[in-house]
Amino acid sequence: MYNTRIGRNAPCWCGSQKKYKKCHLFRDKQEPLKHWEINKEFNSVNSRKKCSSPDSFHKHCAGNVIRAHTLPKTSSLKAIAENGHVLGLKMSFEVIRKNKGKPTLDKIGINHASTFNGFCKYHDDVIFAPLEKELFDATHKQCFLLAYRAFAREYYAKEGAQELSPLRLGVDKGKHLEAQLDIQMTNFLYELGTKAAIEDLKHQKHHFELALKSDDFSSTRAVVFTFSEAPPVMVCGCINPDFDFDGMPLQDLMNFTKRTDNLSVTSYYDGNRGIIAFSWLENSDETCSKLMMSLLNKEQDQYVPLIIQYMFKNFENVFVSPIWWNETTESIKGGLMKLFVDNISTERSPNADGITKPLDTYDFPTLSEIVTVGWSFNKEP
């Protein structure tokens, strides 16, 4: 069953850097990992505590690391909640296993939605005060902080994914060789993508921290859409855009010789208006400018549908009003959940499905104003 040409003391074929005898020799006879063991490790990594502020800030850390909200304003989720709950993806292993990998929107209490253990109380208060304690006026600093908060959460999540590497390497225990090969090939591709993503994030981290430490936010770029009421779909996320709103490729995410450009999107309620902000730093201007131009060159009545679809297509940290969702047609729900499936699938190739044209008409607050920050745009005639 096993390739006898692999010596017992040779490096294991799976890439674990362990000796074959300490890893995959007789792997089919090893005790399979129990579901509770996987869930315990999964939860431990995703609830670890760290302050994501720059290293030079850590001497000022004070108070415990808290479950920091990624969405600004504590009133944001309250504005769309029903009985203290919103709908979102629960990313625990048990939920993923129960749903057989299929994403579902479940009720989440607003005190737990959009949170991560990513900042100490002092730095969460001090760094993000212009968002939490001041009226949002789309300043360079406020738009920077929207991007930085989303970036910090993404960096935290990717580090967590890397810490789960030993767990993923062990999920083939007790399985036959063909299953081991299939699992380890999936692991190899996942590890390759995770390592590349972390290198990209480290590159972006340098630029974010440079601006934060110098208190110079002039490199911030943003397009801010304001609405008459709270948006029923809220998000805080950070991605490397690969397609624009015309379906044209923006950057090759598989080209590991080049650092990728980075975009943050935040949708929330500031207590007075709904805000959906696309924000990025100057070093990501090439990709993000093309993306936003492709959206703004559309007819204005397409902006909101495409933004909604873009959020479902690209982010997991999405929270939805239960009332809005329940009043939405099954056709719309099915279309948006299909975009969610595209988002988390490891089997589908990257594509622009769902972001080039409206899939339906959505009941959404009235678009009031579009503000650009550090960036100008002339609509094509």
Tab-separated table of all heavy atoms in Angstrom, residues 294-347:
chain	number	residue	atom	x	y	z
A	294	SER	N	-14.674	51.210	-13.036
A	294	SER	CA	-15.576	50.287	-13.730
A	294	SER	C	-16.964	50.295	-13.104
A	294	SER	O	-17.969	50.069	-13.796
A	294	SER	CB	-14.995	48.866	-13.734
A	294	SER	OG	-15.020	48.288	-12.438
A	295	LEU	N	-17.049	50.567	-11.789
A	295	LEU	CA	-18.356	50.671	-11.135
A	295	LEU	C	-19.012	52.014	-11.445
A	295	LEU	O	-20.186	52.065	-11.854
A	295	LEU	CB	-18.198	50.517	-9.615
A	295	LEU	CG	-19.465	50.754	-8.782
A	295	LEU	CD1	-20.567	49.768	-9.164
A	295	LEU	CD2	-19.166	50.672	-7.287
A	296	LEU	N	-18.271	53.095	-11.286
A	296	LEU	CA	-18.855	54.423	-11.426
A	296	LEU	C	-19.202	54.766	-12.867
A	296	LEU	O	-19.972	55.700	-13.119
A	296	LEU	CB	-17.907	55.475	-10.834
A	296	LEU	CG	-17.681	55.346	-9.323
A	296	LEU	CD1	-16.652	56.341	-8.843
A	296	LEU	CD2	-18.978	55.508	-8.555
A	297	ASN	N	-18.651	54.030	-13.807
A	297	ASN	CA	-19.015	54.239	-15.215
A	297	ASN	C	-20.317	53.529	-15.597
A	297	ASN	O	-20.813	53.689	-16.701
A	297	ASN	CB	-17.887	53.780	-16.145
A	297	ASN	CG	-16.862	54.872	-16.384
A	297	ASN	OD1	-17.214	56.045	-16.522
A	297	ASN	ND2	-15.588	54.501	-16.417
A	298	LYS	N	-20.855	52.739	-14.653
A	298	LYS	CA	-22.153	52.106	-14.879
A	298	LYS	C	-23.256	53.157	-14.701
A	298	LYS	O	-23.031	54.262	-14.202
A	298	LYS	CB	-22.385	50.977	-13.868
A	298	LYS	CG	-21.334	49.884	-13.852
A	298	LYS	CD	-21.553	48.887	-14.950
A	298	LYS	CE	-20.622	47.686	-14.800
A	298	LYS	NZ	-20.755	46.728	-15.910
A	299	GLU	N	-24.474	52.800	-15.091
A	299	GLU	CA	-25.617	53.644	-14.784
A	299	GLU	C	-25.803	53.677	-13.267
A	299	GLU	O	-25.600	52.674	-12.584
A	299	GLU	CB	-26.875	53.110	-15.457
A	299	GLU	CG	-26.840	53.154	-16.983
A	299	GLU	CD	-26.694	54.570	-17.526
A	299	GLU	OE1	-27.291	55.498	-16.915
A	299	GLU	OE2	-25.987	54.754	-18.524
A	300	GLN	N	-26.206	54.821	-12.731
A	300	GLN	CA	-26.270	54.972	-11.283
A	300	GLN	C	-27.235	53.996	-10.634
A	300	GLN	O	-27.016	53.582	-9.490
A	300	GLN	CB	-26.654	56.408	-10.907
A	300	GLN	CG	-26.559	56.671	-9.409
A	300	GLN	CD	-26.500	58.139	-9.053
A	300	GLN	OE1	-25.963	58.939	-9.812
A	300	GLN	NE2	-27.049	58.507	-7.914
A	301	ASP	N	-28.283	53.594	-11.342
A	301	ASP	CA	-29.234	52.661	-10.728
A	301	ASP	C	-28.658	51.252	-10.587
A	301	ASP	O	-29.289	50.377	-9.996
A	301	ASP	CB	-30.554	52.626	-11.506
A	301	ASP	CG	-30.390	52.150	-12.946
A	301	ASP	OD1	-29.247	51.846	-13.370
A	301	ASP	OD2	-31.404	52.091	-13.665
A	302	GLN	N	-27.440	51.043	-11.127
A	302	GLN	CA	-26.781	49.748	-10.978
A	302	GLN	C	-25.805	49.722	-9.802
A	302	GLN	O	-25.352	48.650	-9.394
A	302	GLN	CB	-26.026	49.380	-12.264
A	302	GLN	CG	-26.922	49.144	-13.461
A	302	GLN	CD	-26.149	48.591	-14.656
A	302	GLN	OE1	-25.138	47.911	-14.495
A	302	GLN	NE2	-26.615	48.890	-15.844
A	303	TYR	N	-25.479	50.887	-9.240
A	303	TYR	CA	-24.476	50.945	-8.184
A	303	TYR	C	-24.840	50.050	-7.004
A	303	TYR	O	-24.051	49.199	-6.575
A	303	TYR	CB	-24.294	52.380	-7.675
A	303	TYR	CG	-23.676	53.353	-8.637
A	303	TYR	CD1	-23.610	54.718	-8.353
A	303	TYR	CD2	-23.137	52.936	-9.862
A	303	TYR	CE1	-23.035	55.630	-9.224
A	303	TYR	CE2	-22.570	53.846	-10.749
A	303	TYR	CZ	-22.525	55.192	-10.423
A	303	TYR	OH	-21.964	56.091	-11.292
A	304	VAL	N	-26.029	50.256	-6.454
A	304	VAL	CA	-26.410	49.529	-5.242
A	304	VAL	C	-26.499	48.023	-5.470
A	304	VAL	O	-25.923	47.244	-4.692
A	304	VAL	CB	-27.731	50.081	-4.661
A	304	VAL	CG1	-28.267	49.163	-3.572
A	304	VAL	CG2	-27.508	51.483	-4.100
A	305	PRO	N	-27.193	47.551	-6.531
A	305	PRO	CA	-27.232	46.097	-6.747
A	305	PRO	C	-25.847	45.482	-6.873
A	305	PRO	O	-25.577	44.417	-6.309
A	305	PRO	CB	-28.035	45.939	-8.039
A	305	PRO	CG	-28.838	47.175	-8.152
A	305	PRO	CD	-28.032	48.255	-7.520
A	306	LEU	N	-24.964	46.169	-7.607
A	306	LEU	CA	-23.628	45.611	-7.812
A	306	LEU	C	-22.810	45.619	-6.519
A	306	LEU	O	-22.027	44.699	-6.263
A	306	LEU	CB	-22.899	46.387	-8.915
A	306	LEU	CG	-23.452	46.180	-10.328
A	306	LEU	CD1	-22.716	47.051	-11.331
A	306	LEU	CD2	-23.358	44.711	-10.744
A	307	ILE	N	-22.985	46.651	-5.695
A	307	ILE	CA	-22.268	46.699	-4.417
A	307	ILE	C	-22.744	45.567	-3.501
A	307	ILE	O	-21.933	44.890	-2.855
A	307	ILE	CB	-22.459	48.068	-3.740
A	307	ILE	CG1	-21.688	49.144	-4.518
A	307	ILE	CG2	-21.974	48.028	-2.289
A	307	ILE	CD1	-21.975	50.560	-4.047
A	308	ILE	N	-24.065	45.350	-3.434
A	308	ILE	CA	-24.596	44.254	-2.617
A	308	ILE	C	-24.014	42.924	-3.079
A	308	ILE	O	-23.536	42.114	-2.279
A	308	ILE	CB	-26.136	44.214	-2.697
A	308	ILE	CG1	-26.747	45.452	-2.055
A	308	ILE	CG2	-26.672	42.946	-2.015
A	308	ILE	CD1	-28.242	45.581	-2.273
A	309	GLN	N	-24.046	42.698	-4.369
A	309	GLN	CA	-23.537	41.439	-4.908
A	309	GLN	C	-22.034	41.306	-4.684
A	309	GLN	O	-21.537	40.213	-4.411
A	309	GLN	CB	-23.885	41.361	-6.404
A	309	GLN	CG	-25.385	41.183	-6.636
A	309	GLN	CD	-25.848	41.519	-8.049
A	309	GLN	OE1	-27.020	41.806	-8.259
A	309	GLN	NE2	-24.949	41.483	-9.021
A	310	TYR	N	-21.322	42.425	-4.768
A	310	TYR	CA	-19.874	42.398	-4.543
A	310	TYR	C	-19.565	42.000	-3.105
A	310	TYR	O	-18.612	41.250	-2.841
A	310	TYR	CB	-19.283	43.781	-4.840
A	310	TYR	CG	-17.784	43.777	-5.016
A	310	TYR	CD1	-17.208	43.382	-6.223
A	310	TYR	CD2	-16.939	44.177	-3.986
A	310	TYR	CE1	-15.832	43.381	-6.395
A	310	TYR	CE2	-15.565	44.182	-4.151
A	310	TYR	CZ	-15.021	43.777	-5.355
A	310	TYR	OH	-13.647	43.767	-5.517
A	311	MET	N	-20.357	42.477	-2.157
A	311	MET	CA	-20.131	42.138	-0.744
A	311	MET	C	-20.351	40.647	-0.499
A	311	MET	O	-19.565	40.002	0.196
A	311	MET	CB	-21.032	42.990	0.152
A	311	MET	CG	-20.637	44.458	0.176
A	311	MET	SD	-21.467	45.461	1.457
A	311	MET	CE	-23.143	45.517	0.830
A	312	PHE	N	-21.419	40.090	-1.052
A	312	PHE	CA	-21.677	38.658	-0.884
A	312	PHE	C	-20.639	37.819	-1.627
A	312	PHE	O	-20.281	36.725	-1.178
A	312	PHE	CB	-23.083	38.309	-1.381
A	312	PHE	CG	-24.158	38.498	-0.360
A	312	PHE	CD1	-24.739	39.742	-0.164
A	312	PHE	CD2	-24.579	37.444	0.431
A	312	PHE	CE1	-25.732	39.928	0.789
A	312	PHE	CE2	-25.568	37.609	1.390
A	312	PHE	CZ	-26.151	38.862	1.571
A	313	LYS	N	-20.156	38.321	-2.723
A	313	LYS	CA	-19.213	37.574	-3.557
A	313	LYS	C	-17.825	37.489	-2.918
A	313	LYS	O	-17.107	36.505	-3.105
A	313	LYS	CB	-19.100	38.261	-4.921
A	313	LYS	CG	-18.054	37.700	-5.872
A	313	LYS	CD	-18.544	36.501	-6.609
A	313	LYS	CE	-17.556	36.076	-7.695
A	313	LYS	NZ	-18.015	34.900	-8.420
A	314	ASN	N	-17.452	38.523	-2.158
A	314	ASN	CA	-16.052	38.643	-1.753
A	314	ASN	C	-15.758	38.576	-0.261
A	314	ASN	O	-14.592	38.475	0.124
A	314	ASN	CB	-15.475	39.955	-2.292
A	314	ASN	CG	-15.266	39.920	-3.789
A	314	ASN	OD1	-14.326	39.297	-4.276
A	314	ASN	ND2	-16.149	40.578	-4.532
A	315	PHE	N	-16.788	38.636	0.594
A	315	PHE	CA	-16.514	38.736	2.023
A	315	PHE	C	-17.295	37.699	2.833
A	315	PHE	O	-18.417	37.334	2.472
A	315	PHE	CB	-16.848	40.141	2.534
A	315	PHE	CG	-16.091	41.224	1.821
A	315	PHE	CD1	-16.714	42.017	0.871
A	315	PHE	CD2	-14.750	41.436	2.076
A	315	PHE	CE1	-16.014	43.002	0.190
A	315	PHE	CE2	-14.035	42.412	1.405
A	315	PHE	CZ	-14.672	43.202	0.465
A	316	GLU	N	-16.698	37.269	3.930
A	316	GLU	CA	-17.363	36.370	4.870
A	316	GLU	C	-17.913	37.130	6.076
A	316	GLU	O	-18.878	36.696	6.702
A	316	GLU	CB	-16.385	35.292	5.349
A	316	GLU	CG	-15.868	34.403	4.240
A	316	GLU	CD	-14.733	33.506	4.695
A	316	GLU	OE1	-14.447	33.505	5.913
A	316	GLU	OE2	-14.137	32.824	3.859
A	317	ASN	N	-17.291	38.255	6.390
A	317	ASN	CA	-17.675	39.052	7.558
A	317	ASN	C	-18.857	39.965	7.197
A	317	ASN	O	-18.785	41.185	7.294
A	317	ASN	CB	-16.469	39.873	8.029
A	317	ASN	CG	-16.661	40.454	9.415
A	317	ASN	OD1	-17.244	39.831	10.293
A	317	ASN	ND2	-16.166	41.671	9.612
A	318	VAL	N	-19.941	39.335	6.758
A	318	VAL	CA	-21.142	40.036	6.299
A	318	VAL	C	-22.277	39.798	7.294
A	318	VAL	O	-22.476	38.671	7.751
A	318	VAL	CB	-21.567	39.543	4.897
A	318	VAL	CG1	-22.892	40.157	4.480
A	318	VAL	CG2	-20.496	39.874	3.868
A	319	PHE	N	-23.027	40.852	7.585
A	319	PHE	CA	-24.142	40.741	8.522
A	319	PHE	C	-25.377	41.387	7.908
A	319	PHE	O	-25.305	42.474	7.333
A	319	PHE	CB	-23.779	41.380	9.864
A	319	PHE	CG	-22.561	40.743	10.462
A	319	PHE	CD1	-21.310	41.308	10.280
A	319	PHE	CD2	-22.654	39.539	11.140
A	319	PHE	CE1	-20.174	40.700	10.783
A	319	PHE	CE2	-21.522	38.917	11.647
A	319	PHE	CZ	-20.283	39.498	11.465
A	320	VAL	N	-26.492	40.679	8.039
A	320	VAL	CA	-27.705	41.041	7.315
A	320	VAL	C	-28.858	41.252	8.290
A	320	VAL	O	-28.995	40.522	9.285
A	320	VAL	CB	-28.073	39.925	6.307
A	320	VAL	CG1	-29.336	40.277	5.529
A	320	VAL	CG2	-26.905	39.681	5.334
A	321	SER	N	-29.700	42.228	7.984
A	321	SER	CA	-30.906	42.468	8.770
A	321	SER	C	-31.858	41.286	8.615
A	321	SER	O	-32.236	40.933	7.493
A	321	SER	CB	-31.592	43.751	8.279
A	321	SER	OG	-32.950	43.779	8.670
A	322	PRO	N	-32.271	40.642	9.713
A	322	PRO	CA	-33.221	39.527	9.604
A	322	PRO	C	-34.536	39.946	8.946
A	322	PRO	O	-35.116	39.177	8.178
A	322	PRO	CB	-33.441	39.110	11.059
A	322	PRO	CG	-32.222	39.573	11.784
A	322	PRO	CD	-31.828	40.850	11.109
A	323	ILE	N	-34.996	41.154	9.252
A	323	ILE	CA	-36.252	41.631	8.660
A	323	ILE	C	-36.101	41.785	7.147
A	323	ILE	O	-36.950	41.348	6.367
A	323	ILE	CB	-36.683	42.965	9.312
A	323	ILE	CG1	-37.008	42.742	10.794
A	323	ILE	CG2	-37.889	43.558	8.581
A	323	ILE	CD1	-37.304	44.019	11.562
A	324	TRP	N	-35.003	42.411	6.734
A	324	TRP	CA	-34.748	42.596	5.293
A	324	TRP	C	-34.646	41.239	4.593
A	324	TRP	O	-35.202	41.050	3.518
A	324	TRP	CB	-33.453	43.390	5.116
A	324	TRP	CG	-33.093	43.698	3.691
A	324	TRP	CD1	-33.583	44.716	2.924
A	324	TRP	CD2	-32.135	43.003	2.858
A	324	TRP	NE1	-33.002	44.699	1.670
A	324	TRP	CE2	-32.112	43.660	1.610
A	324	TRP	CE3	-31.304	41.904	3.052
A	324	TRP	CZ2	-31.289	43.248	0.557
A	324	TRP	CZ3	-30.486	41.489	2.018
A	324	TRP	CH2	-30.480	42.151	0.788
A	325	TRP	N	-33.949	40.313	5.216
A	325	TRP	CA	-33.747	38.997	4.599
A	325	TRP	C	-35.067	38.231	4.490
A	325	TRP	O	-35.358	37.621	3.460
A	325	TRP	CB	-32.744	38.197	5.412
A	325	TRP	CG	-32.280	36.921	4.761
A	325	TRP	CD1	-32.587	35.649	5.142
A	325	TRP	CD2	-31.416	36.794	3.623
A	325	TRP	NE1	-31.961	34.733	4.327
A	325	TRP	CE2	-31.231	35.409	3.374
A	325	TRP	CE3	-30.776	37.702	2.801
A	325	TRP	CZ2	-30.440	34.926	2.336
A	325	TRP	CZ3	-29.978	37.226	1.764
A	325	TRP	CH2	-29.821	35.862	1.536
A	326	ASN	N	-35.878	38.291	5.532
A	326	ASN	CA	-37.148	37.573	5.517
A	326	ASN	C	-38.119	38.152	4.497
A	326	ASN	O	-38.995	37.438	3.983
A	326	ASN	CB	-37.786	37.588	6.912
A	326	ASN	CG	-37.024	36.720	7.899
A	326	ASN	OD1	-36.326	35.793	7.519
A	326	ASN	ND2	-37.137	37.042	9.183
A	327	GLU	N	-37.988	39.443	4.217
A	327	GLU	CA	-38.867	40.087	3.241
A	327	GLU	C	-38.338	39.980	1.813
A	327	GLU	O	-39.000	40.405	0.871
A	327	GLU	CB	-39.071	41.552	3.620
A	327	GLU	CG	-39.852	41.742	4.918
A	327	GLU	CD	-39.971	43.196	5.336
A	327	GLU	OE1	-39.281	44.047	4.713
A	327	GLU	OE2	-40.734	43.480	6.278
A	328	THR	N	-37.150	39.410	1.680
A	328	THR	CA	-36.528	39.246	0.366
A	328	THR	C	-37.064	37.985	-0.306
A	328	THR	O	-37.319	36.980	0.357
A	328	THR	CB	-34.994	39.159	0.516
A	328	THR	OG1	-34.511	40.389	1.064
A	328	THR	CG2	-34.317	38.930	-0.821
A	329	THR	N	-37.220	38.018	-1.627
A	329	THR	CA	-37.750	36.862	-2.351
A	329	THR	C	-36.767	35.706	-2.322
A	329	THR	O	-35.558	35.898	-2.148
A	329	THR	CB	-38.043	37.227	-3.810
A	329	THR	OG1	-36.801	37.499	-4.492
A	329	THR	CG2	-38.964	38.441	-3.923
A	330	GLU	N	-37.292	34.505	-2.492
A	330	GLU	CA	-36.445	33.314	-2.514
A	330	GLU	C	-35.458	33.369	-3.671
A	330	GLU	O	-34.334	32.869	-3.569
A	330	GLU	CB	-37.313	32.058	-2.615
A	330	GLU	CG	-38.145	31.779	-1.374
A	330	GLU	CD	-37.304	31.648	-0.114
A	330	GLU	OE1	-36.247	30.979	-0.183
A	330	GLU	OE2	-37.678	32.220	0.915
A	331	SER	N	-35.862	33.988	-4.757
A	331	SER	CA	-34.969	34.120	-5.911
A	331	SER	C	-33.740	34.959	-5.566
A	331	SER	O	-32.608	34.597	-5.906
A	331	SER	CB	-35.717	34.751	-7.086
A	331	SER	OG	-34.839	35.033	-8.157
A	332	ILE	N	-33.969	36.067	-4.882
A	332	ILE	CA	-32.852	36.934	-4.486
A	332	ILE	C	-31.970	36.221	-3.467
A	332	ILE	O	-30.732	36.249	-3.559
A	332	ILE	CB	-33.379	38.265	-3.915
A	332	ILE	CG1	-34.010	39.103	-5.029
A	332	ILE	CG2	-32.254	39.042	-3.230
A	332	ILE	CD1	-34.609	40.410	-4.558
A	333	LYS	N	-32.594	35.581	-2.479
A	333	LYS	CA	-31.809	34.848	-1.485
A	333	LYS	C	-30.926	33.801	-2.144
A	333	LYS	O	-29.740	33.666	-1.822
A	333	LYS	CB	-32.742	34.159	-0.487
A	333	LYS	CG	-33.474	35.087	0.465
A	333	LYS	CD	-34.388	34.275	1.383
A	333	LYS	CE	-35.212	35.153	2.290
A	333	LYS	NZ	-36.151	34.381	3.114
A	334	GLY	N	-31.516	33.052	-3.087
A	334	GLY	CA	-30.756	32.009	-3.769
A	334	GLY	C	-29.582	32.572	-4.542
A	334	GLY	O	-28.480	32.010	-4.536
A	335	GLY	N	-29.808	33.708	-5.216
A	335	GLY	CA	-28.731	34.327	-5.989
A	335	GLY	C	-27.598	34.821	-5.114
A	335	GLY	O	-26.415	34.631	-5.428
A	336	LEU	N	-27.942	35.451	-3.984
A	336	LEU	CA	-26.905	35.959	-3.081
A	336	LEU	C	-26.154	34.831	-2.385
A	336	LEU	O	-24.932	34.906	-2.214
A	336	LEU	CB	-27.534	36.900	-2.052
A	336	LEU	CG	-28.101	38.217	-2.608
A	336	LEU	CD1	-28.760	39.033	-1.497
A	336	LEU	CD2	-27.012	39.037	-3.287
A	337	MET	N	-26.869	33.769	-1.999
A	337	MET	CA	-26.188	32.647	-1.355
A	337	MET	C	-25.284	31.911	-2.332
A	337	MET	O	-24.253	31.362	-1.941
A	337	MET	CB	-27.201	31.688	-0.735
A	337	MET	CG	-27.947	32.275	0.462
A	337	MET	SD	-26.872	33.000	1.739
A	337	MET	CE	-26.000	31.539	2.318
A	338	LYS	N	-25.651	31.920	-3.610
A	338	LYS	CA	-24.765	31.319	-4.620
A	338	LYS	C	-23.443	32.095	-4.688
A	338	LYS	O	-22.372	31.504	-4.860
A	338	LYS	CB	-25.440	31.315	-5.984
A	338	LYS	CG	-24.632	30.627	-7.073
A	338	LYS	CD	-25.395	30.585	-8.381
A	338	LYS	CE	-24.604	29.823	-9.456
A	338	LYS	NZ	-23.297	30.434	-9.737
A	339	LEU	N	-23.525	33.418	-4.526
A	339	LEU	CA	-22.306	34.221	-4.504
A	339	LEU	C	-21.475	33.899	-3.271
A	339	LEU	O	-20.246	33.872	-3.329
A	339	LEU	CB	-22.657	35.706	-4.540
A	339	LEU	CG	-23.354	36.202	-5.814
A	339	LEU	CD1	-23.664	37.686	-5.701
A	339	LEU	CD2	-22.506	35.933	-7.046
A	340	PHE	N	-22.148	33.653	-2.145
A	340	PHE	CA	-21.443	33.235	-0.929
A	340	PHE	C	-20.687	31.924	-1.165
A	340	PHE	O	-19.551	31.750	-0.721
A	340	PHE	CB	-22.442	33.022	0.205
A	340	PHE	CG	-22.330	34.040	1.315
A	340	PHE	CD1	-23.430	34.349	2.085
A	340	PHE	CD2	-21.136	34.673	1.602
A	340	PHE	CE1	-23.341	35.272	3.120
A	340	PHE	CE2	-21.030	35.596	2.621
A	340	PHE	CZ	-22.147	35.895	3.383
A	341	VAL	N	-21.341	30.980	-1.857
A	341	VAL	CA	-20.702	29.698	-2.164
A	341	VAL	C	-19.452	29.921	-3.000
A	341	VAL	O	-18.393	29.332	-2.762
A	341	VAL	CB	-21.682	28.751	-2.886
A	341	VAL	CG1	-20.954	27.500	-3.376
A	341	VAL	CG2	-22.834	28.357	-1.966
A	342	ASP	N	-19.545	30.796	-3.999
A	342	ASP	CA	-18.386	31.144	-4.821
A	342	ASP	C	-17.261	31.686	-3.943
A	342	ASP	O	-16.071	31.405	-4.163
A	342	ASP	CB	-18.764	32.215	-5.843
A	342	ASP	CG	-19.187	31.612	-7.178
A	342	ASP	OD1	-19.347	30.380	-7.239
A	342	ASP	OD2	-19.370	32.367	-8.150
A	343	ASN	N	-17.645	32.467	-2.954
A	343	ASN	CA	-16.691	33.141	-2.080
A	343	ASN	C	-15.826	32.152	-1.312
A	343	ASN	O	-14.604	32.324	-1.215
A	343	ASN	CB	-17.475	34.045	-1.117
A	343	ASN	CG	-16.594	34.765	-0.114
A	343	ASN	OD1	-15.378	34.811	-0.234
A	343	ASN	ND2	-17.221	35.330	0.900
A	344	ILE	N	-16.427	31.098	-0.767
A	344	ILE	CA	-15.682	30.192	0.109
A	344	ILE	C	-15.250	28.901	-0.580
A	344	ILE	O	-14.545	28.092	0.008
A	344	ILE	CB	-16.513	29.842	1.365
A	344	ILE	CG1	-17.759	29.039	0.986
A	344	ILE	CG2	-16.891	31.099	2.129
A	344	ILE	CD1	-18.532	28.539	2.191
A	345	SER	N	-15.662	28.711	-1.837
A	345	SER	CA	-15.352	27.462	-2.530
A	345	SER	C	-13.862	27.352	-2.838
A	345	SER	O	-13.221	28.321	-3.260
A	345	SER	CB	-16.151	27.370	-3.836
A	345	SER	OG	-15.761	26.241	-4.580
A	346	THR	N	-13.314	26.153	-2.629
A	346	THR	CA	-11.921	25.891	-3.008
A	346	THR	C	-11.857	25.134	-4.331
A	346	THR	O	-10.775	24.792	-4.797
A	346	THR	CB	-11.222	25.050	-1.919
A	346	THR	OG1	-11.951	23.821	-1.726
A	346	THR	CG2	-11.163	25.809	-0.607
A	347	GLU	N	-13.019	24.898	-4.910
A	347	GLU	CA	-13.078	24.104	-6.135
A	347	GLU	C	-13.307	24.958	-7.379
A	347	GLU	O	-12.887	24.593	-8.473
A	347	GLU	CB	-14.194	23.055	-6.026
A	347	GLU	CG	-13.960	22.056	-4.894
A	347	GLU	CD	-15.113	21.074	-4.737
A	347	GLU	OE1	-16.121	21.212	-5.476
A	347	GLU	OE2	-14.999	20.170	-3.888
